[in-house]
Amino acid sequence: MLVKLKVNGELRQADVPPETTLLKMLREDLGLTGAKLGCDVGDCGTCTVIVDGDSLNSCLMLAAKANGREITTIEGLATSADLHPLQKSFEELGALQCGFCGPGMLMSAKNLLDKNPEPSVHEIKDALSGNLCRCTGYTKIIEAIQDAGRELSGAAAGN
Amino acid sequence: MKRRGKGIGCMWYPIGFTVMANPSAATVKVNTDGTATLLTGTVETGQGALTVLGQIAAEALGISTDDVHVVSGDTDTTPMDTGAIASRTTYVTGNAIVRAAEAARELLFEAAAPLLGVKADQLEARDKRIQVLGFPSKSLPISEVALHAETNVGRPAIGSASYNPPTVPMDPETGQGKPFNTYVYATQIAEVEVDDETGEVEILRIVAVHDCGTPINPMLVEGQIQGGISMGVGFALQEEILFKDGVQVNPNLTNYIMPTSLDMPELEVELVDNYDPTGPFGAKGAGEPTAVPTAAAIMNAIYDAVGVRITSLPATAEKVMMAILEKREQEAKSA
């Protein structure tokens, strides 16, 4: 079946079997391999993308269900000129180690900051609770999200 | 009712392993643009090893870390390394790199000595220059010295070295020996809240103080410790591989439960800034030992809170509750 998506601002389409997940379509049909295939059953969160303003596990959504909707993946964060403030903070504060959880962590974090630019530590932990990380203990990830939140709300305020 | 308790866990841990040899080799090449290329057989697994190893080479050569190009983990091109295991990379591979960089630097000193009118042992490498000790105005850029070494002296500034920590085998008569060349030490303190109606344990806070020698990159060491604590938290309260007839019954993340962001307490990490004269610029290691004292501290905190000793991990709510009930029963009997 033909599925049409708006991915990172660009109209994309592919002819996929009906059982294809959004994750599989992004990775195998559209060549966007940033969202990772971890557990494939919605436990680990490394496939997290934003669909119409909500972060979700793309391994749990059928591509057909995403038809006509707006998707943001990790590839949509940086511009050719610059990294997203979240990516910069993650890099500067050493928030990732092996990095496999990174694409999902960053998308969950972006979705949180889009809705709540200055979240509390508890709100951040809550937003990341579906993204597993084996390396970092989450501490530096939380610090990086706070740091990026301050930067983004400072920029919004014209500072 | 929720009861609070605090517990302490202490540990020492050896850096590297023993019984068989444990070498790392490295090659450092100083290029004529003043940069350096480091060849190492070890691999980056996310812990930041290549950053730290690049920092070690840069420090020995007096150049910036950005100017060290690290080539790693390719058996076609890189020298032998025992591997990113046993918390050994900073210490063992780092020591090989210091020695390789020093050998390359010696060739730079010998090339520069006649140009600066002093002996080679009166030179130092600092701020991307080879300079007379204590006289920064009498100096030459490393790039120029490296080119001079290649094109005029005919001895390019390339150094190779290996390091194998010295050990002494155990004497079967006395039981004495020296299995490892150095050790790291740490203390962690956990504060928990135990619900004595359900047995559920919540960890409120963990303070971790670690002696890793001189931390080459404190931010990365901190990250290793925080990650180690999260593994210790999982070991203490959640993680368990269950077998039935020799087959694991929980082989996925739905039923092998590891800590999420919500399971992690507030962490406070302190580094004891020690200096180990046998390590590269005083460093020892981080890695595995970061996870060692966590579960012990948590179990001691549970004992402090509700007076029960949990001796089989993980300390699930069921196990803690059973222990509390058993204790109450015994107290009722003896009363």
Side-chain angles (χ1 to χ4, degrees):
Chain A
M1 58 190 301
L2 188 67
V3 175
K4 296 182 181 179
L5 311 170
K6 193 169 181 190
V7 185
N8 303 325
E10 203 181 313
L11 286 169
R12 303 287 300 269
Q13 62 178 54
D15 198 6
V16 298
E19 70 275 17
T20 308
T21 63
L22 174 60
L23 175 65
K24 194 163 190 274
M25 176 174 166
L26 288 170
R27 291 179 58 86
E28 295 178 14
D29 297 285
L30 304 184
L32 296 168
T33 54
K36 296 284 174 265
L37 174 67
C39 64
D40 213 15
V41 291
D43 285 327
C44 75
T46 193
C47 66
T48 305
V49 300
I50 298 174
V51 179
D52 286 343
D54 281 317
S55 63
L56 48 80
N57 291 320
S58 60
C59 74
L60 291 184
M61 180 181 248
L62 289 173
K65 206 172 173 204
N67 188 40
R69 299 171 78 172
E70 203 164 317
I71 322 286
T72 309
T73 70
I74 185 73
E75 287 90 345
L77 279 197
T79 64
S80 54
D82 221 346
L83 290 176
H84 186 275
L86 269 167
Q87 292 170 310
K88 272 190 211 162
S89 296
F90 268 58
E91 184 182 2
E92 275 163 23
L93 299 178
L96 296 176
Q97 289 183 32
C98 88
F100 197 77
C101 71
M105 283 287 178
L106 283 159
M107 296 319 286
S108 289
K110 180 181 189 297
N111 188 54
L112 171 68
L113 294 184
D114 285 347
K115 293 173 177 170
N116 178 3
E118 285 181 81
S120 67
V121 169
H122 188 80
E123 286 168 330
I124 296 173
K125 284 186 171 186
D126 208 42
L128 299 182
S129 62
N131 295 85
L132 294 178
C133 172
R134 184 80 275 190
C135 306
T136 66
Y138 307 97
T139 315
K140 290 191 186 298
I141 293 176
I142 293 165
E143 286 166 7
I145 294 170
Q146 286 179 304
D147 184 62
R150 279 190 295 270
E151 158 130 24
L152 284 164
S153 47
N159 293 333
Chain B
M1 156 173 200
K2 288 191 174 180
R3 296 178 184 277
R4 282 196 180 192
K6 286 180 187 158
I8 300 178
C10 302
M11 69 106 217
W12 58 265
Y13 197 88
I15 292 301
F17 59 81
T18 195
V19 179
M20 56 188 279
N22 178 22
S24 284
T27 295
V28 172
K29 176 166 81 84
V30 180
N31 304 310
T32 53
D33 61 356
T35 66
T37 305
L38 163 64
L39 304 181
T40 167
T42 195
V43 290
E44 174 64 56
T45 59
Q47 78 281 47
L50 298 189
T51 303
V52 166
L53 298 177
Q55 283 181 271
I56 289 171
E59 185 71 17
L61 293 171
I63 63 177
S64 84
T65 306
D66 286 344
D67 286 339
V68 179
H69 176 55
V70 184
V71 179
S72 75
D74 179 348
T75 49
D76 272 353
T77 56
T78 58
M80 183 272 168
D81 191 286
T82 299
I85 51 162
S87 309
R88 63 183 288 289
T89 303
T90 298
Y91 185 76
V92 183
T93 309
N95 263 332
I97 290 168
V98 168
R99 284 156 176 74
E102 282 172 351
R105 190 181 65 192
E106 195 50 40
L107 290 164
L108 292 174
F109 287 167
E110 283 169 19
L115 302 178
L116 292 167
V118 292
K119 286 182 181 162
D121 62 6
Q122 290 170 305
L123 292 170
E124 62 179 342
R126 277 181 84 151
D127 305 324
K128 307 186 183 192
R129 300 178 81 82
I130 302 296
Q131 66 182 45
V132 177
L133 273 166
F135 292 94
S137 58
K138 280 193 81 178
S139 67
L140 290 165
I142 280 186
S143 53
E144 215 172 281
V145 179
L147 182 65
H148 178 68
E150 282 185 17
T151 53
N152 300 324
V153 182
R155 292 175 75 203
I158 299 171
S160 287
S162 63
Y163 180 75
N164 181 40
T167 57
V168 178
M170 187 181 76
D171 182 326
E173 294 281 319
T174 63
Q176 298 293 302
K178 189 187 179 199
F180 301 98
N181 203 37
T182 194
Y183 299 84
V184 297
Y185 308 90
T187 294
Q188 294 183 4
I189 304 174
E191 189 176 1
V192 303
E193 202 168 68
V194 185
D195 187 327
D196 68 2
E197 306 286 328
T198 65
E200 196 180 1
V201 178
E202 188 188 350
I203 306 165
L204 303 172
R205 186 166 168 236
I206 292 178
V207 179
V209 183
H210 285 247
D211 162 20
C212 316
T214 304
I216 304 277
N217 188 318
M219 181 180 81
L220 294 177
V221 176
E222 226 178 73
Q224 293 255 289
I225 294 170
Q226 291 160 346
I229 292 171
S230 77
M231 295 173 206
V233 164
F235 181 44
L237 299 184
Q238 299 173 308
E239 295 181 42
E240 187 171 25
I241 294 179
L242 300 164
F243 290 99
K244 190 174 183 233
D245 302 327
V247 177
Q248 189 184 347
V249 296
N250 61 341
N252 53 58
L253 296 165
T254 309
N255 43 23
Y256 180 90
I257 306 300
M258 56 169 274
T260 69
S261 50
L262 289 169
D263 297 310
M264 284 304 293
E266 183 192 337
L267 302 184
E268 198 179 308
V269 173
E270 295 265 349
L271 303 178
V272 179
D273 198 355
N274 204 344
Y275 183 90
D276 185 322
T278 70
F281 302 106
K284 295 191 282 188
E288 297 156 295
T290 61
V292 172
T294 313
I298 294 167
M299 295 311 119
N300 285 335
I302 293 173
Y303 179 75
D304 187 42
V306 289
V308 297
R309 282 278 170 215
I310 307 297
T311 53
S312 115
L313 298 179
T316 56
E318 291 90 331
K319 270 188 211 165
V320 175
M321 197 60 233
M322 290 304 286
I324 291 172
L325 292 176
E326 218 168 278
K327 181 173 176 266
R328 281 187 195 147
E329 218 168 277
Q330 275 172 1
E331 281 169 354
K333 263 188 216 162
S334 58

